[in-house]
Amino acid sequence: KGKIVARKGEALDAYAIMKKYCRTIEKCSLDDLFNYEKELTGQINRWIPMEAGNTVLVRIDKNTYVADRYVHFNIDKIDDAIGLFVKEEYLPIRAFTTFGVFPDCGQTWNLFLLESYCRRFSRKFQFDAISVNSRNAGAVIRKSCGMDYTEIMTDAVANADIPLKDGTVGKFLYESGYTGRSTTAKVNEIIDKAKTMREMRD
C-alpha cells in the first residue's frame, strides 16, 4: 500500500511504524521525521511524525528530538517549579517566560522541553493543545483538572475582559497562546458557552 510492504490482511499504520522507528533513534531532527514519513507514505502529514516523536522521544528544542537517556528529570522538583507558575487549573505554556527555578536536567530548558516533560513525565501536570504544533501553542494543565481543552479555552474566554465576538475571541486565544492561529473552528462553540458561563456568574 503506497510505499509500505506488509503481510496480507495486516493493517498498515504509518503512525505505529513511525513510533517503532523513533524507539531506535538516539537523536534526530524534525525534518528527519518528516522525511522518514515521506519515504513510508509518499507524503507528509505533519501530525503523524510530530505525534510519534512527542510520544516516544524528548523534544529539546524546535528542531531536535533525543532519546530519554539524554535527559535526566527530577520529577518532584520540576513539578514544584511548574506549580510556582500554574496557580489555578491551567496556564498557557507561553506564560513560562523564565526557567531560573527549574533544576538542571542535562538540556537547556525551553518551552519545547517543558511541553515534552509535561506530555510524558510529570506526575501532576499534562500538556494539551488543539493540535500538535511547533508554535508553543497549548496549555500546561493540572492532572486533577476535569476540563477538556475546549472547556479550558472557554473558561479562559469567559474570565477575560473581552467582548464575545469572533475576531476578538480568536485574537485573544491566539495572543494568549491557547491556539497557533487567530482563527479556530471551535470559536462559535466557545463564544456560546462563554456567554452562558458569564450569565450564570452574573
Side-chain angles (χ1 to χ4, degrees):
K1 182 178 179 183
K3 295 192 173 188
I4 303 174
V5 177
R7 294 184 184 278
K8 278 188 177 179
E10 284 187 0
L12 299 175
D13 185 340
Y15 175 56
I17 295 170
M18 286 287 306
K19 284 200 296 182
K20 192 173 182 180
Y21 169 70
C22 286
R23 291 190 184 98
T24 69
I25 292 172
E26 293 285 296
K27 182 177 181 180
C28 72
S29 69
L30 188 56
D31 283 341
D32 290 336
L33 295 180
F34 288 156
N35 291 335
Y36 185 74
E37 197 225 353
K38 193 169 185 180
E39 286 177 24
L40 274 181
T41 65
Q43 59 189 5
I44 295 177
N45 295 308
R46 294 175 68 91
W47 77 267
I48 293 176
M50 289 176 73
E51 194 66 52
N54 289 343
T55 302
V56 176
L57 301 165
V58 181
R59 192 175 187 180
I60 59 171
D61 58 41
K62 185 174 183 177
N63 297 308
T64 313
Y65 289 86
V66 299
D68 290 5
R69 68 187 189 87
Y70 290 98
V71 189
H72 310 288
F73 290 128
N74 183 322
I75 294 175
D76 290 336
K77 287 186 177 179
I78 297 170
D79 279 356
D80 286 345
I82 293 172
L84 296 175
F85 291 85
V86 186
K87 304 291 188 184
E88 305 294 335
E89 294 288 281
Y90 59 86
L91 188 70
I93 196 165
R94 285 188 207 153
F96 290 79
T97 55
T98 177
F99 292 95
V101 295
F102 281 69
D104 178 64
C105 68
Q107 302 290 341
T108 302
W109 279 103
N110 57 59
L111 296 180
F112 294 99
L113 183 56
L114 177 61
E115 175 184 330
S116 213
Y117 170 81
C118 291
R119 279 182 180 276
R120 296 188 48 219
F121 300 94
S122 176
R123 295 190 186 102
K124 295 181 180 178
F125 301 93
Q126 59 193 7
F127 177 84
D128 203 359
I130 286 182
S131 60
V132 64
N133 65 84
S134 291
R135 301 178 182 183
N136 299 129
V140 176
I141 306 159
R142 290 187 180 275
K143 287 188 175 181
S144 57
C145 176
M147 294 184 281
D148 65 27
Y149 197 66
T150 301
E151 289 169 333
I152 283 171
M153 290 191 292
T154 303
D155 188 65
V157 168
N159 288 318
D161 186 19
I162 58 169
L164 298 178
K165 296 180 180 177
D166 286 21
T168 309
V169 169
K171 184 179 178 185
F172 165 78
L173 291 170
Y174 171 68
E175 291 183 348
S176 300
Y178 291 100
T179 60
R181 297 192 178 103
S182 56
T183 56
T184 172
K186 292 182 177 288
V187 71
N188 289 327
E189 176 189 346
I190 290 168
I191 287 171
D192 288 343
K193 290 180 178 177
K195 278 179 183 172
T196 303
M197 288 173 72
R198 285 186 181 181
E199 286 166 3
M200 286 173 67
R201 288 171 189 169
D202 293 341

